[in-house]
Amino acid sequence: MNSILAQDLEKEYKAIESKVIEWRREIHQNPELSNREFKTAEKIAKHLTSLGIEVQTGVAHTGVVGILKGQKPGKVIALRADIDALPVFERNDLPFKSTVVTDFKGEEVPVMHACGHDTHTAILMGVAEILSKHTDKIKGTVKFIFQPAEEGPPEGEEGGALLMVKEGVLKNPDVDAIFGLHINSQTPVGVIRYKSGGTMAAAQKFVINVKGKQSHGARPWSGVDPILISAKIIDGLQTIISREVELTNEAAVITVGKITSGVRFNIIPESAEMIGTIRTLDYDMKALINKRMKEMVPALAKAYGGEATIEIKDATDITYNDPDLVTQMLPSLNKVAGENNVQTQKAVTGAEDFSYFQKEVPGFFFFLGGMTPGNTASFPHHTPDFIIDDSGLLLGVKALTEMSIDYLNK
């Protein structure tokens, strides 16, 4: 990057920070659930249009895509931000806290940006504004992907990155590489963390249905207890992790999150249902765990006189950072954050549907610090107490801007 462009960018970073923070706070105050991000999408589209960027709306229901063409031919880079919020009550005293209540599965629920997607959206709006002023310095094209439903579409609907890919968001023009970031409330402002290779887990949902034989609670020998069988299945599933999976390679998790069974204290019920999640960071381990669960569940139920079925569905794939792309882009991150502030980290068992973009093209997904330096309090994601320090947003703008310029102009 030439010195004149670098000086121009530094001035623009300083000028845009307050705007990015303002956008973030407006979006935070007006959160919308997955596939229902109508006003958020309208705000994004209006902003991109004002910059002279070609805009596509209604992508994967409520997604927005902006296409910025440089004045010189070259590669195509995509930048992604997720835009949806969560059904979570916001428990803080911020002047821009959410008080929104909306319908979710037939119930009135509070809505909050409890995972920082508001910051991702504002950051990418800032990147779009800066890059739109430098088309003469861009070799190629930048696609700005504002993605709905990262948290998962409503039941019975398609959505998120998977639907965007299905609808051709990485085509016309064809994307060569994609970058994305995620704010982190437990990483200090000014720090960027990343991992080459598998960085976030594949997430799968499983449903186990157990069939027993109903009887009086005082006469268990006359029935088959599906609750007891469920307990044995839960115990057995954990032995797959503790005794069969080579955990020195990668982490893996099987969690039963919900059990439904019974109606009275003195009745052994006829059936039970268990719902849970599987998290894996390696495709071979994923295949092994799936295979063993499908073998173990019916076998354990049969051993105790009952029956059981299991269904496993993919939710997200492994978020895999292309090693060559990571190596290529690290100098850009070091430049904007400083080498000491660009740190490697271990894999995360959380999941991201950014993985579906990476399955199609090389991608690099990294974590941006959002915790006030020196703060020892924890504000975990997906909780009512989640808080992000706005001073961390500008580094995200710088990182995505300079990664884009450096990648395209190399």
Side-chain angles (χ1 to χ4, degrees), residues 15 24-25 28 34 95-96 155 214 275 291 343-344 352 369 394:
R24 182 259 163 158
R25 293 183 176 186
H28 188 90
S34 301
F96 55 92
E155 197 167 332
Q214 189 163 317
I275 302 174
K291 176 177 178 290
Q343 304 168 0
T344 57
E352 244 289 348
L394 185 59

Side-chain angles (χ1 to χ4, degrees), residues 90-255:
E90 185 159 12
R91 186 170 56 204
N92 59 53
D93 297 320
L94 293 174
F96 55 92
K97 69 179 288 186
S98 169
T99 58
V100 171
V101 175
T102 192
D103 178 79
F104 179 66
K105 294 185 177 180
E107 296 182 22
E108 289 293 303
V109 297
V111 185
M112 175 191 176
H113 271 290
C115 201
H117 297 185
D118 52 336
T119 68
H120 307 163
T121 303
I123 286 169
L124 194 53
M125 288 170 67
V127 174
E129 182 162 329
I130 290 176
L131 289 178
S132 69
K133 298 176 181 179
H134 297 286
T135 56
D136 60 323
K137 305 292 194 305
I138 295 175
K139 295 178 181 177
T141 301
V142 183
K143 269 192 178 182
F144 303 95
I145 299 175
F146 292 86
Q147 179 210 308
E150 190 282 325
E151 300 292 354
E155 197 167 332
E157 297 182 21
E158 289 185 279
L162 190 59
L163 183 57
M164 283 196 131
V165 170
K166 185 177 177 181
E167 292 186 359
V169 75
L170 299 177
K171 303 293 184 182
N172 301 316
D174 295 354
V175 171
D176 293 295
I178 186 167
F179 300 144
L181 59 75
H182 204 301
I183 200 85
N184 187 268
S185 65
Q186 294 164 310
T187 298
V189 165
V191 172
I192 288 173
R193 290 180 176 156
Y194 74 97
K195 180 181 179 293
S196 186
T199 187
M200 295 186 77
Q204 295 178 290
K205 176 185 177 182
F206 65 85
V207 178
I208 297 172
N209 283 293
V210 180
K211 184 179 179 182
K213 181 181 177 183
Q214 189 163 317
S215 65
H216 197 295
R219 294 176 55 82
W221 53 85
S222 64
V224 175
D225 189 347
I227 296 177
L228 172 65
I229 293 174
S230 297
K232 298 298 183 180
I233 288 174
I234 293 170
D235 187 46
L237 294 179
Q238 296 313 313
T239 67
I240 297 174
I241 300 299
S242 66
R243 290 295 179 269
E244 299 188 43
V245 174
E246 196 168 348
L247 296 176
T248 54
N249 289 340
E250 292 287 2
V253 174
I254 301 174
T255 294

Side-chain angles (χ1 to χ4, degrees), residues 202-206 253-254 276-280 289-290 293 312:
Q204 295 178 290
K205 176 185 177 182
F206 65 85
V253 174
I254 301 174
T277 187
I278 307 162
R279 302 298 171 106
T280 49
I289 291 170
N290 282 207
M293 289 178 72
I312 301 174

Side-chain angles (χ1 to χ4, degrees), residues 325-383:
L325 185 61
V326 171
T327 300
Q328 180 182 343
M329 301 319 303
L330 277 181
S332 302
L333 295 182
N334 290 335
K335 176 174 55 177
V336 297
E339 287 190 35
N340 292 336
N341 292 320
V342 179
Q343 304 168 0
T344 57
Q345 66 171 40
K346 293 183 179 180
V348 177
T349 50
E352 244 289 348
D353 75 351
F354 185 83
S355 56
Y356 289 121
F357 298 124
Q358 291 175 307
K359 200 168 184 180
E360 304 297 321
V361 299
F364 185 9
F365 189 79
F366 59 93
F367 297 91
L368 177 70
M371 180 180 71
T372 303
N375 197 344
T376 57
S378 177
F379 302 108
H381 294 240
H382 288 221
T383 71

Side-chain angles (χ1 to χ4, degrees), residues 15-138:
I16 207 168
E17 181 175 19
S18 60
K19 292 172 72 173
V20 171
I21 291 172
E22 182 182 353
W23 293 329
R24 182 259 163 158
R25 293 183 176 186
E26 288 174 356
I27 295 166
H28 188 90
Q29 256 187 322
N30 299 280
E32 296 173 295
L33 295 177
S34 301
N35 278 2
R36 304 293 184 270
E37 309 94 332
F38 304 111
K39 292 180 180 177
T40 306
E42 185 179 344
K43 181 181 183 67
I44 294 164
K46 184 178 179 181
H47 176 65
L48 297 182
T49 300
S50 74
L51 301 174
I53 293 173
E54 179 186 333
V55 176
Q56 301 169 356
T57 59
V59 184
H61 299 303
T62 49
V64 179
V65 176
I67 299 176
L68 178 68
K69 295 179 180 178
Q71 293 181 19
K72 302 173 184 178
K75 294 182 179 180
V76 180
I77 188 76
L79 307 176
R80 176 271 207 165
D82 37 15
I83 67 176
D84 55 328
L86 288 158
V88 174
F89 170 75
E90 185 159 12
R91 186 170 56 204
N92 59 53
D93 297 320
L94 293 174
F96 55 92
K97 69 179 288 186
S98 169
T99 58
V100 171
V101 175
T102 192
D103 178 79
F104 179 66
K105 294 185 177 180
E107 296 182 22
E108 289 293 303
V109 297
V111 185
M112 175 191 176
H113 271 290
C115 201
H117 297 185
D118 52 336
T119 68
H120 307 163
T121 303
I123 286 169
L124 194 53
M125 288 170 67
V127 174
E129 182 162 329
I130 290 176
L131 289 178
S132 69
K133 298 176 181 179
H134 297 286
T135 56
D136 60 323
K137 305 292 194 305
I138 295 175

